[in-house]
Amino acid sequence: QAYTNPDTMTQDLRTGALDAAQGVPAAQFTELESADGIKAIAYNFINWDYIDFNCYEGAASGGHPVLRDPAFRVALDHAIDRERIVDLVYGGRARPGYTMINSDTWRDPDFHWEPPEGVRRTSAPEKAKELLDAAGYRDSDGDGVREDKQGKPISLRLWALAESTSTQGEGKLIAGWFEDIGLDIRFEVVDNGAASDAMYAWEGDDPAPDYDMILWFWDGYYDPGSTLQCFTTSQIGWWNEVYWSDA
């Protein structure tokens, strides 16, 4: 049976309407560990949540142009506190992700790569502000919202998924962090199908992705090579839903 609401699914598990369920929200999982008649099992799930920035540079792109600037995206990365997301959204049952190949998944060899100190972008809101200033995104009129290079206030859409309570929890935190560094964020929970339609929109033969930022998720493949191909230029409009390309 498929559920669009994991809370309803968990309640049906409690009442005995279900014999088993996968994807129980972290807070309820903790409660189920001590519930009579239920065995709660945590395991390494080849999955990660992440933010899709619309990087498409085509004329039909509906994304905000600032997201095509690597300096802007790096600054936003420093505004995010991954450890806090792990604690508050996942109840400690996750790991901060910096790359798209999960840790503790592959053996002989382990294909996971962890950025070393000095390369890994940790939570540093003040550094995020400095990077935005240096890249030319300043709050020149002092109203609390930075302007783009044409002098317009930067207002970005951030979507979480109605079917994913984890993306909703992450979205609330991230929207606040982005606002703290001087951006106007319009946070909204949307249907998975609506988000996918916006990602994969086309105008004739040309991609026309119409989103700014989406909290998305990915189920990795057991073959790491299949995962690594996703953000290649040849996959733009398909698995590469961020439309990012770099030589």
Side-chain angles (χ1 to χ4, degrees), residues 70 73 231-233 236 240 244-247:
R73 299 195 303 267
F231 295 132
T232 59
T233 302
I236 283 179
N240 185 347
W244 176 80
S245 181
D246 186 278

Side-chain angles (χ1 to χ4, degrees), residues 66-104:
V66 296
L67 295 170
R68 303 169 200 168
D69 183 352
F72 187 88
R73 299 195 303 267
V74 169
L76 264 58
D77 203 358
H78 281 293
I80 296 173
D81 189 338
R82 291 166 170 80
E83 295 283 358
R84 192 161 176 80
I85 289 175
V86 167
D87 292 340
L88 296 182
V89 178
Y90 288 98
R93 292 186 177 84
R95 292 188 177 181
Y98 295 94
T99 53
M100 59 186 293
I101 298 294
N102 290 18
S103 60
D104 295 332

Side-chain angles (χ1 to χ4, degrees), residues 183-220:
L183 305 176
D184 175 41
I185 302 298
R186 290 170 287 157
F187 176 61
E188 185 179 357
V189 176
V190 302
D191 179 78
N192 193 322
S196 183
D197 287 345
M199 279 179 171
Y200 297 109
W202 291 74
E203 289 186 5
D205 294 330
D206 298 321
D210 188 13
Y211 74 94
D212 292 326
M213 303 179 291
I214 300 178
L215 285 153
W216 203 243
F217 59 90
W218 189 261
D219 299 331

Side-chain angles (χ1 to χ4, degrees), residues 27-49:
Q28 298 192 47
F29 184 89
T30 300
E31 297 174 2
L32 291 177
E33 286 183 309
S34 58
D36 292 338
I38 292 178
K39 183 174 184 179
I41 304 171
Y43 61 97
N44 185 22
F45 187 31
I46 307 179
N47 177 85
W48 58 98
D49 289 355

